[in-house]
Amino acid sequence: MTLAIFDLDNTLLAGDSDHAWGEFLVERGLVDGAWYKAQNDAFYAAYCRGELDIVAYSEFVFAVLARETADTLAGWHRQFMAEKVGCMILPKGRELLAKHREAGHRLLIITATNRFITAPIAAELGVADLIATEPEVRDGRYTGKVSGVPCYQHGKIARLQQWLADTGEDLAGAWFYSDSRNDIPLLEHVDHPVAVDPDEALRAHAASNGWAVLSLR
């Protein structure tokens, strides 16, 4: 099947779900507010510059997951979806997903944001296939560590190649939609790269390469 691949944050969502999760924890008083906000904001700024240490950031996020039970985390995430994510989902993003679904394409979300945060969002969007940064789990609890290759920059390509091998799919005729300079390596791997409400670096790269530019806002 032809693949229609989508970044999630600031592409299908009007915002960054990873950063919003940190805001949710601070607003709910579930972490040391001032310190956690400063760290969360600094990591997000590094991401926007294309300079994020994905392992350090993931372990920062996963430390909270590691201290709580699965039931507690599930309850928090339900609140997060209701309070933060619902208003971030772009109607035009849903329409774009529907367009590819109706064309018979296989939909895939690929995101640097971890699976704990993004799996319920992908489900809400009706996308069964998700590649995300994986938190390590042992005996039903998060360990605070990353499992495998983080799904970020060139890591997205490695993770996608493994997924292709596992599923028997290929990139012939594939589409990829993203907003971020961090996804230029993967955009260069597909037949139909589309810059969605792109950051400055991606907008310039798209213009110099004749890529389509789309707004879902």
Side-chain angles (χ1 to χ4, degrees):
M1 298 174 69
T2 298
L3 291 176
I5 309 169
F6 301 85
D7 177 48
L8 182 63
D9 298 308
N10 287 306
T11 300
L12 295 175
L13 301 181
D16 185 281
S17 59
D18 227 350
H19 187 257
W21 171 253
E23 292 178 327
F24 169 82
L25 295 176
V26 169
E27 291 164 8
R28 284 275 171 172
L30 301 170
V31 291
D32 179 349
W35 176 82
Y36 200 92
K37 181 181 186 304
Q39 293 295 308
N40 194 43
D41 290 348
F43 278 122
Y44 185 60
Y47 171 82
C48 292
R49 296 192 305 268
E51 299 171 356
L52 178 66
D53 181 335
I54 186 62
V55 172
Y57 177 57
S58 296
E59 291 183 351
F60 165 74
V61 175
F62 296 169
V64 176
L65 305 186
R67 80 181 195 208
E68 304 294 341
T69 66
D71 286 346
T72 296
L73 292 170
W76 289 0
H77 202 293
R78 285 191 295 272
Q79 294 173 339
F80 171 64
M81 291 288 290
E83 296 175 16
K84 292 287 190 180
V85 177
C87 62
M88 293 169 64
I89 295 175
L90 291 164
K92 289 184 179 180
R94 288 191 185 274
E95 292 171 7
L96 181 60
L97 290 168
K99 174 185 173 183
H100 281 283
R101 191 179 290 113
E102 290 163 6
H105 299 165
R106 183 168 183 175
L107 308 184
L108 170 65
I109 289 174
I110 186 165
T111 175
T113 301
N114 69 80
R115 182 172 294 275
F116 166 77
I117 291 174
T118 57
I121 302 173
E124 171 63 26
L125 292 170
V127 179
D129 291 304
L130 170 69
I131 303 173
T133 298
E134 298 287 349
E136 184 181 66
V137 178
R138 291 184 183 173
D139 300 322
R141 295 289 296 260
Y142 293 105
T143 68
K145 300 297 184 180
V146 178
S147 177
V149 177
C151 192
Y152 175 65
Q153 294 184 343
H154 288 279
K156 277 194 175 181
I157 297 173
R159 293 290 306 282
L160 177 58
Q161 288 174 336
Q162 184 60 58
W163 183 88
L164 294 172
D166 292 343
T167 60
E169 298 285 4
D170 60 47
L171 290 179
W175 299 74
F176 179 41
Y177 296 86
S178 178
D179 71 291
S180 175
R181 72 185 69 197
N182 293 296
D183 285 337
I184 288 173
L186 182 51
L187 285 160
E188 291 177 335
H189 266 66
V190 300
D191 291 335
H192 302 289
V194 183
V196 179
D197 298 295
D199 63 28
E200 182 178 341
L202 177 54
R203 184 176 295 277
H205 194 84
S208 66
N209 286 275
W211 293 352
V213 178
L214 173 69
S215 178
L216 297 178
R217 304 296 178 106

